[in-house]
Amino acid sequence: MARRIGILTGGGDVPGLNSVIKGVVYRGAEVGIEVIGIRRGWEGLTHVNLADPNSKERYILPLNRENTRTIDRTGGTFLHSSRTNPAKMKSLPEHLQGMDFPRQETTKKGITWTVYDVSKVVLKNLETLGLDYLIAIGGDDTLSYAQKLDSLGFNVVAIPKTMDNDVRNTEYCIGFSTAITRAMDAINRQRSTVGSHERVGIFRVFGRDAGYTSLYTAFVTNIRCGIPEHRFDLDKMIDLLVHDKRNNPSNYCLMVLSEGAEWEGYTVQEYGEPDAFGHRKKMSVAEDFGNEVKARAKEETLISDLTYELRSGEADFIDKLVASTFGNMAFDCVLAGQHGQMTAVENGCFAMVPIPDPKLGPRQVDVSTMYNTERYRPNYTNKVGWPIFLCRL
Amino acid sequence: MARRIGILTGGGDVPGLNSVIKGVVYRGAEVGIEVIGIRRGWEGLTHVNLADPNSKERYILPLNRENTRTIDRTGGTFLHSSRTNPAKMKSLPEHLQGMDFPRQETTKKGITWTVYDVSKVVLKNLETLGLDYLIAIGGDDTLSYAQKLDSLGFNVVAIPKTMDNDVRNTEYCIGFSTAITRAMDAINRQRSTVGSHERVGIFRVFGRDAGYTSLYTAFVTNIRCGIPEHRFDLDKMIDLLVHDKRNNPSNYCLMVLSEGAEWEGYTVQEYGEPDAFGHRKKMSVAEDFGNEVKARAKEETLISDLTYELRSGEADFIDKLVASTFGNMAFDCVLAGQHGQMTAVENGCFAMVPIPDPKLGPRQVDVSTMYNTERYRPNYTNKVGWPIFLCRL
Amino acid sequence: MARRIGILTGGGDVPGLNSVIKGVVYRGAEVGIEVIGIRRGWEGLTHVNLADPNSKERYILPLNRENTRTIDRTGGTFLHSSRTNPAKMKSLPEHLQGMDFPRQETTKKGITWTVYDVSKVVLKNLETLGLDYLIAIGGDDTLSYAQKLDSLGFNVVAIPKTMDNDVRNTEYCIGFSTAITRAMDAINRQRSTVGSHERVGIFRVFGRDAGYTSLYTAFVTNIRCGIPEHRFDLDKMIDLLVHDKRNNPSNYCLMVLSEGAEWEGYTVQEYGEPDAFGHRKKMSVAEDFGNEVKARAKEETLISDLTYELRSGEADFIDKLVASTFGNMAFDCVLAGQHGQMTAVENGCFAMVPIPDPKLGPRQVDVSTMYNTERYRPNYTNKVGWPIFLCRL
Amino acid sequence: MARRIGILTGGGDVPGLNSVIKGVVYRGAEVGIEVIGIRRGWEGLTHVNLADPNSKERYILPLNRENTRTIDRTGGTFLHSSRTNPAKMKSLPEHLQGMDFPRQETTKKGITWTVYDVSKVVLKNLETLGLDYLIAIGGDDTLSYAQKLDSLGFNVVAIPKTMDNDVRNTEYCIGFSTAITRAMDAINRQRSTVGSHERVGIFRVFGRDAGYTSLYTAFVTNIRCGIPEHRFDLDKMIDLLVHDKRNNPSNYCLMVLSEGAEWEGYTVQEYGEPDAFGHRKKMSVAEDFGNEVKARAKEETLISDLTYELRSGEADFIDKLVASTFGNMAFDCVLAGQHGQMTAVENGCFAMVPIPDPKLGPRQVDVSTMYNTERYRPNYTNKVGWPIFLCRL
């Protein structure tokens, strides 16, 4: 049986992560399994120098009931996070410099750079720490390395989290419900401002590749939405909004756009000076769309960006329920001696599934069943047989 | 195809009812089916005198996009509610007095009274209103008459709502998630008071027969709970609480009790003068339990009743999602010409199921899988395969 | 100049206390004055045995930036609280038993008991701890001993807190604004339930002697109220409520009662067995009033108790503003070598005033200017010249 | 005595406006004075064509208890708003075209245009509507015309509102407290995200000329701030933030900037194509400052814009209290036959003051007493004698 489990959180934080951590630690305390917190995601396994007490203190935190008792009362992650991917490191921490690692050339937008795979360091550190298992909590990128590490022979159990809800093999990722809760609350609070000034209110939410956040926000606020999975017709969308506005006795209307939403013929504009990788800043699709509304329909707009707000604050009921359950499922998986698996919701039920293949990319909204391409709204009909979160794998 | 649908809400209100109503009305507007609001639950069909314009105005409200546009922004029910059951009326409205109705003697606590079944009036009113279908939204009692009415030959589709989550044949009833959201928020807000005074904090929530509200509140706040389905051992519960308190560096502990929870040997106490039916007021189990804590463990307590707060305010994300979906499923059911069915969640998925048999009584917590009778907490382990709401039918 | 300041919080907790504590500690850190936390109010100075390390650890907590950095993010008091009054102790802690203290007989409701004045122990402990000053935060009772201690020659600065807002010599006490915020939010959330069931909604809030909480809640929710300072006419109040209900198209009405409110001819009822002091439990005035509404007006009621909710959660803007300012004013007072004073708001401005004379009892609502005895509502007119909180000393 | 009062709201909406409107209407109903709502601010008096029923319906709304009963439960303004200034109209509504109005050339950034003064139309419309008085609610710009209109002989009473709190002659404007409440809540919610990623968190709030919103947000969240009234030293600010971050065991820090804040040597950058008036879009000072933090301190930042959120939702306790009181004071002023006055808070007390002279521009933060230019924080000390809102006129 496992004796000592590591746990880490990678990528963007979401409310609920601390409930997972606490759940795992409390289960460990019951059955006598140590739980070791790895701080700052994978960085804790690539950058730690276990021979250096300061470095060890910076990255390794033994967890117990005392130091996790109150963590589930706040959002974020008690273990902190980073976007480090041990298989794709752009630069090496000081104490690894000069060592020999597999390298690879990566090219993006005409700029090429070298990335290193420091997996051998990760494996060595896991061994030195005496860990039998690692519970890795993260989104696409974090979990892609979880899969790799498991394939290298170290036992990993994965837990999906992301407010975008776009990890494959699961209908639900921790943080999604709270994100919709925050978006719904913000839009309903700002409704009176849009109405008082008789505007077309355009809200923008995170979601570069997947439109779940925009779609479900629209579902529960009854407004139009644009998602990355379907390029809309610009004039048709504006017509619908102007129609909504005219039919509203308060003479306003609302819509929500994923940051990755586009209309037919739209190319995102950039501005400012290019950075080291040749990237210039991208214009907000909400602002660009707002300009089109003004130009074509002579309607004033109000653009509101809902960004970090969506991952802020305490987890809502569903995220606490799922986070605790996922944490316990991961622990049960460890107890059962299984690995390479991810906690998931499948067909409306909790399930253990394979950690998704990173090559497949993020999960996306199934436009044909979930999005009404005539009315640019969620599809509300014929839901009998659908899982509770209204999406299928 | 149906031409005109009635819709009513019965029993206690919960947030989300207005999303159902709006969803049905908007669908109706799209396909040209009229939706008629019946006000005050079944009372709108028993007490209305359609020959009297004032009475008609009081009870019958044709619904349209305009008068339902903003209703989903508030809790409660736009159509208002009552606890009238047409098959068990204790008194007859004025204009029905003198008419002949089937009657039945009912005896409770030694007091006997007569109840009337005015179904023939209900059927007549439905006919006069030209309704083809009725969508009835309610809990146990409201839906028991929905089933009867359907069996009498009038097409009924039912939608379950109750913050107790105890309607049979469905894993979820509208209002439950918001109730847990409110309870969780209130307990977390009051935590600092219990801690500042180093008390045993005892929260009481609705739930006379079923402990779902208490159990799930405990689940997401990580505290002990008592539920009606399991009589706890008084000394053991107090020992656990005292142990929690001593192990908490802030020297307090929390627990939540269903109003119907009991311990072995406990008989609820009554006080005050008996009313017309011989009923005296019942002591709160939380106060009685608090007295035992004081007497046996010499610990001070803080008793906090979470009552109407749990059904207050706007629906949360899940209740809006489910309410809209249930409303649309009911409408789809009408379009398909089906009846006698209830919208439901079954095995984590949306489903149409039979309206439950009223004789079976409320659904209850399955103690063996959901409640830890050793630790008086929810059971957190072995949830793989369980539906998202962690209960099975 | 002072070298070492003690700080304590007594009586019921309110949100904002931690902002005071943090403010004092941070100011101390800047100028090199130590701040020592006395835990559990005056109990920390009566019960502590400084010769016993366990007792000292239990009651004495040196404060610094590190251990107070995050405390202002939660309500309650980081130092915990008690209702101990060193001049009126009913029983002596173990290590003081057998010592000789001034004693006094107190008689209440025919029961007589002895109380001890252990001020000499308090003074000795303050000396042993090397304190020059004490900042005492509390309501009436806590501050009455603050005044006494100062008169005994130990330098005390007082800070008023109580959600009842009834400390003399100040227009504002920490916790009041948050209490009204909570009451207003709760009433507005529960409005839809009262409306859906067409009830007379009766809210009860804390306030045995002073009606500020009830009055200001009524002010901002536009409802009727009853306060301890004016016995209302029962029939007139019921008439007003029935009139409100009939004129409301949703057929409901709301009112709020202080727990100490009464009508002419009302004697509070008691129930249950008498306790050690001969006290039986008091009926809630809201329930009794509700019974009268039912009996006289044949209207159904909904009774909602807003109790600990009012002191729960994080401080609101005003309480954070005032708490930080009071903490800094107290510190400025220490720096100036002044004592026997209380931080206050006087005529709308921050002021230092004498600690109030305990013999005067709590401050009360001035009925003639603030309460409309014809309409049982706050008085909204002729406010020019009044301080921002609408009350004068 | 007045017989018929007009009321309008101009400029940006804030929570609390509806409490003012309701307060005035209810007082009017008591004493038999009609209250007529003018819709869309001054536009309702410049654009309305009283001979055209459609135009009249669009702009004129007689108010009564029934249509204002529930308006105070939402933010925004029931009467809607606009930024029209009758003395500075850039274009004329259709039915006024061809009429002769005083005109003036205005030059801004090298672009010149003509503005018209249509006061004679406003006066004529007020006369046709039979109004004796006008209550105008707004910020700087709206009230500048209120003053002019009063000087032209029509009786005006003004009520200040703006979340910037920068109207002269008053220490408080409706909307300010709610804005701080929202900012405080958003920052505290997002704290866990900034901490989880160990960033320098930079929040931007409205406030082009006056820094009250930034300053008071900083006051109650205990963070650094930049305000338009004081250009900060870039390196010193960054040093302070880096120091804060290093001293925080969670390794993050927070600060808030007014949109109009600047550092020494900073010139706001512009981007995109110029619009009709030659204006290009302005870069956010928060993004520019973030770039400097990255470049100079090699610290990652998180930039969060708090924009419409600050004026969203329901009014908080203080804004409801002040809004109701201002509404009643304005009504009392009408009853007393006075005009040319504005409701205000002066030295902590409610007062009637002259409508401010528009030439003086917005009120600004007094840096010497309110802002610590060494530590870029609010000044917390020596507040005895200061009004409750900590600013003096």
Side-chain angles (χ1 to χ4, degrees), chain B residues 128 200 210 273 281-282 302 320 327 364 367 372 391:
Chain B
T128 308
V200 174
E273 298 301 308
K281 283 188 178 140
K282 286 196 170 65
L302 184 152
K320 291 213 165 175
Q364 290 194 300
V367 171
N372 185 328
C391 59

Side-chain angles (χ1 to χ4, degrees), chain A residues 271-325:
Chain A
Y271 68 94
E273 297 301 307
D275 68 12
F277 301 102
H279 295 149
R280 298 173 67 216
K281 281 184 181 144
K282 286 194 170 65
M283 284 292 293
S284 148
V285 63
E287 283 195 33
D288 286 339
F289 179 70
N291 291 338
E292 297 290 343
V293 170
K294 257 188 212 169
R296 297 180 183 220
K298 314 294 171 215
E299 289 284 355
E300 292 295 312
T301 62
L302 184 153
I303 315 288
S304 191
D305 244 17
L306 305 176
T307 57
Y308 301 104
E309 173 69 14
L310 266 63
R311 57 176 46 162
S312 74
E314 212 181 333
D316 71 4
F317 163 47
I318 287 297
D319 271 321
K320 291 212 166 178
L321 183 83
V322 173
S324 286
T325 306

